[in-house]
Amino acid sequence: MICFTYPGQGSQKAGMGSAWVDHPSWELVAEASEAAGRDVAQLLLEADDDELRHTRNSQLATFVVSMISLDAVTRVGIETAGHAGHSLGEYSALVAAGVVDFHDGVRLVSERGEAMQVAAEEQDGTMAAVMGLDDDLVEQACEQADGDVWVANYNAPGQVVIAGAPAMVEAAGAIAKELGAKRVMALPVGGAFHTPFMASAKDRLQKAIGKTEFRVPDHPVYANVDAAAQTGAQAWADLLNTQLTSPVRWRQSVHNMCDDGFTTFVELGPGAVLTGTVKRTAKDCKSLKVNAPADIDAVLEELAGPPVAAGGPLEGEALFTTERLVVSPAAGIFQPTEDNLLGTGVPAGQLLGHVGETEVRTPWAGMIMGFLAVEGERVTASQPIAWLRTS
């Protein structure tokens, strides 16, 4: 089975939206800008690394790139059987699973970023990655430091992040080295996230969460707080609020997903941090990423794999690299061309019809196998119009 994963803060980089500008999924940027009341395109195209380090900027920018990547892979028919996000990425997972709608997701991420930025400015804090030490020994190092320092992220075997007051993080790091850590690396962040230092952010975010409607997910979403698969809607208000001051149990989540039958993880969004953690945690699983349009065909080829056994594909793996969906570029009434293209070979760029005044053209060459919209049907943006076989 395939699981989509979504990165958190720290994966952002300057210009990370540039590869997507000419892709149909870029239309989400305008929607995000409207929902956030900010120029999201500026963040994705023009903001430098220093600007993106600010929590209020990095979280919104990372979330939107994840949503663009998600939209892009669904346009070509890649399906998932589960979702999981790291910290901020949990919000991406909830939108992807239909628990929260896109506009509410933008609003929550914006509020979360602002709240955490303010909390970080009120309470001086930092974070550090401890490498090559077991979880229990990292916890022991924090306890022996005897101050405001805690485990913030369980990322992978031998990769744990601690956070708290700068002096205490330094002290815990020194103890961790004495206990056998191979390396302690300071992280370039402006706060002690997922610790009690975020308590004021928790209070502020709770108000925004209280105004949000949560729905049942289309597939399980694995929660950061307890690493458990959530299949309902009711728990998410408390889980999101608790997440701010609790450690992210990512390694435990990956183990649970593997136990539940997931064999392929596709990271959607900037960077490849989660791809790396999955490779360290679940070495027998396939770990892929999509953070630019060029990644999509490579992922399709990887997901196709060997011929499907007689029992048929597993859920989330009903995909062949020779099949493509052509989706509507806009909302409106679909009007096909007068030519009967069904069953005929067409070149890339072939006009299939119009949605209102907007042309619908296939990005791929191949044979038109069927139309999924009929003449006069009102369609939405990104709704499948036709499918074709490319070879």
Side-chain angles (χ1 to χ4, degrees), residues 75-136:
R75 285 172 183 262
V76 298
I78 303 176
E79 299 178 354
T80 186
H83 305 269
H86 188 289
S87 188
L88 161 72
E90 189 158 84
Y91 290 75
S92 304
L94 291 178
V95 173
V99 177
V100 176
D101 71 31
F102 179 71
H103 280 250
D104 277 345
V106 173
R107 179 179 58 83
L108 283 174
V109 167
S110 297
E111 186 67 11
R112 182 181 190 267
E114 291 289 345
M116 292 175 70
Q117 179 85 45
V118 171
E121 291 169 354
E122 292 174 345
Q123 180 82 56
D124 188 24
T126 192
M127 306 178 79
V130 180
M131 312 298 289
L133 195 63
D134 290 344
D135 295 354
D136 57 346

Side-chain angles (χ1 to χ4, degrees), residues 8 71 80 104 130 153 166 182 187 216 220 237 242 244-245 260 273 287 320 322 324-325 342 349 363 365 373 377:
D71 187 71
T80 186
D104 277 345
V130 180
N153 306 150
K182 294 180 180 178
L187 300 180
V216 175
T242 302
L244 278 182
T245 54
D260 290 341
V273 172
S287 188
F320 300 88
T322 58
R324 298 289 190 271
L325 288 177
L342 186 62
E377 179 181 351

Side-chain angles (χ1 to χ4, degrees), residues 31-359:
E31 295 182 35
S33 296
E34 180 181 357
R38 299 185 59 187
D39 186 353
V40 176
Q42 185 274 330
L43 284 178
L44 300 186
L45 299 175
E46 301 172 14
D48 60 20
D49 287 328
D50 286 339
E51 185 176 356
L52 286 175
R53 264 190 213 101
H54 291 287
T55 300
R56 59 171 59 93
N57 298 331
S58 61
Q59 294 200 13
L60 179 59
T62 300
F63 168 81
V64 173
V65 173
S66 286
M67 292 296 96
I68 293 171
S69 301
L70 171 70
D71 187 71
V73 299
T74 56
R75 285 172 183 262
V76 298
I78 303 176
E79 299 178 354
T80 186
H83 305 269
H86 188 289
S87 188
L88 161 72
E90 189 158 84
Y91 290 75
S92 304
L94 291 178
V95 173
V99 177
V100 176
D101 71 31
F102 179 71
H103 280 250
D104 277 345
V106 173
R107 179 179 58 83
L108 283 174
V109 167
S110 297
E111 186 67 11
R112 182 181 190 267
E114 291 289 345
M116 292 175 70
Q117 179 85 45
V118 171
E121 291 169 354
E122 292 174 345
Q123 180 82 56
D124 188 24
T126 192
M127 306 178 79
V130 180
M131 312 298 289
L133 195 63
D134 290 344
D135 295 354
D136 57 346
L137 292 177
V138 178
E139 294 166 357
Q140 181 180 326
C142 291
E143 292 172 1
Q144 289 183 10
D146 195 24
D148 289 337
V149 58
W150 305 269
V151 171
N153 306 150
Y154 297 94
N155 285 338
Q159 188 182 109
V160 179
V161 173
I162 60 175
M168 290 297 98
V169 170
E170 183 177 356
I175 296 170
K177 286 183 178 179
E178 293 175 1
L179 293 173
K182 294 180 180 178
R183 186 181 179 192
V184 177
M185 180 174 60
L187 300 180
V189 296
F193 305 131
H194 299 289
T195 74
F197 279 17
M198 290 291 111
S200 62
K202 183 177 178 179
D203 294 340
R204 176 173 171 175
L205 183 62
Q206 189 169 24
K207 296 176 182 178
I209 291 173
K211 300 175 183 177
T212 303
E213 178 185 358
F214 295 93
R215 307 176 185 87
V216 175
D218 60 2
H219 295 294
V221 182
Y222 289 76
N224 287 180
V225 171
D226 58 8
Q230 301 293 330
T231 57
Q234 299 304 315
W236 280 109
D238 287 339
L239 286 170
L240 289 180
N241 199 241
T242 302
Q243 187 221 63
L244 278 182
T245 54
S246 298
V248 174
R249 300 185 183 277
W250 182 253
R251 178 183 60 78
Q252 295 89 334
S253 296
V254 173
H255 281 307
N256 287 343
M257 287 184 274
C258 291
D259 289 344
D260 290 341
F262 289 95
T263 57
T264 301
F265 296 82
V266 183
E267 182 176 3
L268 303 176
V273 172
L274 301 186
T275 304
T277 63
V278 170
K279 287 179 178 178
R280 291 174 61 94
T281 307
K283 295 181 180 179
D284 293 334
C285 291
K286 188 176 292 185
S287 188
L288 310 170
K289 65 177 177 63
V290 174
N291 54 34
D295 295 327
I296 296 174
D297 281 341
V299 169
L300 285 167
E301 294 289 343
E302 283 286 335
L303 294 182
V308 179
L314 295 171
E315 181 184 6
E317 293 182 350
L319 172 76
F320 300 88
T321 59
T322 58
E323 296 181 359
R324 298 289 190 271
L325 288 177
V326 180
V327 301
S328 173
I333 303 298
F334 175 61
Q335 184 67 39
T337 62
E338 294 181 1
D339 300 328
N340 182 11
L341 298 175
L342 186 62
T344 63
V346 297
Q350 171 70 45
L351 180 68
L352 303 184
H354 292 79
V355 173
E357 299 297 322
T358 304
E359 293 182 339

